[in-house]
Amino acid sequence: MQTISSEIDRRYQLSGEEFLSEYVNKSKPVVISGVIQNWDAFTKWSLPYFQAIAPSLKIYAKHFNNGKIEIENFTFQEYADILEAYEQGNNHNQPPYCHDLPLFSLIPELVKDVQPFALEYLPKWYHFQWWRYCQFFIGPSHSLTPLHFDCLLTNNLFFQIVGRKQFTLFLKEDSQYCYRYNWRWFKVDPEQPDLEQYPVYKNAKPIKVIVNPGDILYMPPGTLHHVRSWDKSISFNIDWHTQHSVLKGLAASAKGMPLKNVYYNFLLALGLIFKVPPQLVFRFYKTYLNYVS
Ligand SMILES: O=C(O)CCC(=O)C(=O)O
Ligand SMILES: [Fe+2]
């Protein structure tokens, strides 16, 4: 029988230096609290708020269907209506999940709601307009992101604003037990693992983490994650490389990383290693934010 461990550090007001030496440099996940709880986002953000400041903005949401991703377009109003009907029990079909949306670029006004930002955790190269690298996740209760790792093998800082989410993490060494396909997706369902079909999964060590509003979750490059929303939820992340991780990302081209991903890692290497300014790199990198893989 597998032991479900909850072994992850929870650190209050972790400093930038401690974060780097104790977590990033050791490839160790951590939940950080006590850093962002005063952001205006916690009192302001909701779908009606987004709708009010960007009434004509079109957003997209994803259906994850047995390894396939289908996209549907909405206004915030349409999406809010579907979510509300679902939460009230008037519609039993799981609504699609608004997933990987670069909302700060679409509504720059939102950046002022996340001040002061946790810049001490990011390499200096990202400080210039850091918000351009963020992706949002907005969805109803029970939304699911199936098991995967982030496709450029970046570090991930994940900010939970509204609602709670349950992450099931596996360190990258466990990927051999989880049946990988399409570069970054995994066939095992950690909520209901089928050990007959996927027998070596018994060796994997899932780490369950509940992420609450105000928490920041750090996932090192290659961490597998399966994410279940407990509530209606708003979150965003920032994927970022260090000099070390971008080189490892580039080396993964020999391990089957798709060429397009290698291209984006090459751009980030130009910035992080050869000090090409972020304004120039971003001109080419920005298509990554709409890249469905
Ligand atoms: O919140 C989610 O559902 C998915 C988050 C995720 O996969 C990420 O931040 O990379
Ligand atoms: Fe992810």
Side-chain angles (χ1 to χ4, degrees), residues 67-244:
K68 288 211 194 74
I69 301 175
E70 282 154 28
I71 305 237
E72 213 180 323
N73 293 301
F74 297 94
T75 61
F76 273 122
Q77 187 61 56
E78 289 163 345
Y79 192 59
D81 289 347
I82 293 178
L83 259 51
E84 224 26 66
Y86 175 76
E87 300 295 339
Q88 303 293 329
N90 299 333
N91 172 5
H92 297 290
N93 296 329
Q94 177 73 30
Y97 189 5
C98 177
H99 194 277
D100 269 346
L101 185 73
L103 200 56
F104 286 134
S105 299
L106 299 168
I107 318 178
E109 214 181 314
L110 293 179
V111 176
K112 69 174 178 353
D113 297 338
V114 294
Q115 301 297 337
F117 192 67
L119 279 181
E120 64 274 26
Y121 300 140
L122 291 178
K124 286 236 157 43
W125 187 82
Y126 285 94
H127 290 198
F128 177 76
Q129 297 185 343
W130 53 268
W131 41 269
R132 298 185 300 186
Y133 303 92
C134 294
Q135 297 279 39
F136 276 67
F137 303 87
I138 303 169
S141 50
H142 312 121
S143 290
L144 171 71
T145 303
L147 191 62
H148 69 286
F149 58 72
D150 293 343
C151 68
L152 302 185
L153 294 172
T154 40
N155 298 269
N156 183 333
L157 277 171
F158 183 91
F159 299 85
Q160 187 60 20
I161 310 298
V162 175
R164 299 160 299 166
K165 280 182 169 170
Q166 176 176 298
F167 279 68
T168 309
L169 308 180
F170 299 86
L171 300 183
K172 64 175 186 296
E173 297 75 26
D174 273 0
S175 74
Q176 57 183 316
Y177 307 130
C178 296
Y179 299 83
R180 184 153 70 94
Y181 69 98
N182 287 354
W183 170 239
R184 69 187 194 112
W185 298 98
F186 291 84
K187 291 185 183 160
V188 166
D189 173 1
E191 286 179 328
Q192 278 182 314
D194 180 343
L195 287 176
E196 259 170 43
Q197 205 173 359
Y198 306 119
V200 301
Y201 179 71
K202 68 178 184 305
N203 301 312
K205 295 183 192 62
I207 304 169
K208 267 200 194 167
V209 190
I210 311 306
V211 178
N212 293 297
D215 285 344
I216 308 173
L217 169 65
Y218 166 66
M219 292 184 283
T223 303
L224 279 57
H225 44 291
H226 167 286
V227 189
R228 176 69 77 184
S229 299
W230 281 5
D231 308 304
K232 198 157 76 171
S233 162
I234 301 176
S235 340
F236 69 91
N237 75 9
I238 179 162
D239 283 349
W240 48 280
H241 267 312
T242 58
Q243 290 190 343
H244 178 75

